Amino acid sequence: MKKIIIMGASSGIGLSVAEALASRGVKVGLAARRVTNLRELKDKYPDFVEYESIDVTHQNAPEILERLIEKTGGMDIYFHVAGIGAENHDLTPQSEAETVTTNATGFARMMCAAYNFYRNNKQPGQIVGITSVAGTNGIASIPAYSASKKFASAYIVALEQRARLEKVPVTFTDIRPGWVRTPLLNSEKSYPMEMTLEYVTPLVIKAIVKHPRVQYIDWRYELLANLWKLIPDPLWIRFPIEKLGLSL
């Protein structure tokens, strides 16, 4: 039975995927800063769930990841979901810095740790990262979030290139969701093409199983992202994205 580690499993996509897999008898190792929901899943599926409290912004996070891998009995798949984001119309510097610290620095720290596990143990594996359609271009109301997601996608590309150079048998998948109704979204707003967790969760699991190089969720956002890529910067900065409701 394959074993999957989910980093960022306390809410949203991470928690939903964790419960879906555990309910099917998949061995899951769960990690997040807050462990209340992880503990409840452990109580519900005691034979299939292990967990640890891990803050990806802390330097000791890779060491705790190793402990979680040992408790889980191995790691065939590393699934990184941990991330934060919110509208920052006032451009509060601390808020921007915290987003970058979690979504970029923390992402690099843990993806690197996962890669090193496979490389050092000479073990085949799979690394899956949740990035975002927002990483396609800089978005006015969420500059740090959109930039950090672009960083994450580029980091996955770099790791995959390194794996090929070093002949490490690891596959990589960059999952790019659009707007999903999770705690990241403004609860007082609705969004065009907004998706529910019930709709998104099986699509994410399918992407993990099929492991394409890049998977947009869903096809509408793939079309949107490809259109955005065609817009040159001088036009993009004049694009009325706020009026279209396409920000957090």
Side-chain angles (χ1 to χ4, degrees), residues 50-194:
E50 301 294 343
Y51 70 91
E52 286 282 353
S53 175
I54 299 180
D55 186 337
V56 301
T57 68
H58 289 181
Q59 292 185 2
N60 69 343
E63 297 171 13
I64 307 176
L65 173 62
E66 290 180 5
R67 192 161 70 219
L68 177 59
I69 293 171
E70 185 174 349
K71 287 173 65 174
T72 307
M75 180 174 72
D76 299 298
I77 303 168
Y78 176 78
F79 181 35
H80 190 101
V81 196
I84 62 174
E87 287 180 323
N88 190 13
H89 294 289
D90 295 332
L91 280 184
T92 307
Q94 184 60 27
S95 177
E96 293 293 276
E98 288 173 358
T99 297
V100 171
T101 298
T102 298
N103 295 358
T105 305
F107 184 91
R109 176 178 286 116
M110 302 316 298
M111 295 290 272
C112 176
Y115 176 79
N116 285 337
F117 169 82
Y118 294 124
R119 180 176 62 177
N120 295 341
N121 289 282
K122 298 178 173 58
Q123 174 186 330
Q126 181 181 355
I127 294 177
V128 183
I130 290 282
T131 63
S132 176
V133 170
T136 306
N137 249 321
I139 298 176
S141 65
I142 47 171
Y145 182 81
S146 51
S148 64
K149 292 302 183 177
K150 183 181 264 316
F151 169 93
S153 290
Y155 197 87
I156 292 173
V157 172
L159 269 188
E160 184 171 18
Q161 185 181 60
R162 188 175 189 92
R164 289 181 179 274
L165 289 171
E166 297 180 338
K167 295 181 171 54
V168 178
V170 176
T171 61
F172 294 83
T173 297
D174 178 350
I175 299 180
R176 302 174 182 177
W179 282 262
V180 184
R181 178 48 64 183
T182 70
L184 279 182
L185 291 188
N186 186 334
S187 61
E188 298 179 355
K189 291 177 62 175
S190 60
Y191 300 83
M193 301 187 297
E194 181 180 312

Side-chain angles (χ1 to χ4, degrees), residues 208-223:
I208 293 172
V209 172
K210 298 292 185 181
H211 55 83
R213 175 63 190 75
V214 174
Q215 180 64 60
Y216 287 94
I217 296 179
D218 58 8
W219 66 269
R220 298 168 298 171
Y221 284 103
E222 181 173 11
L223 177 61

Side-chain angles (χ1 to χ4, degrees), residues 5 22 46 82-83 93 106 114 123 128 149 157 183 187 225 228 231 238 241 244 247:
I5 301 294
Q123 174 186 330
V128 183
K149 292 302 183 177
V157 172
S187 61
W228 282 5
I231 303 175
R238 294 172 171 80
I241 193 165
L244 297 177
S247 63

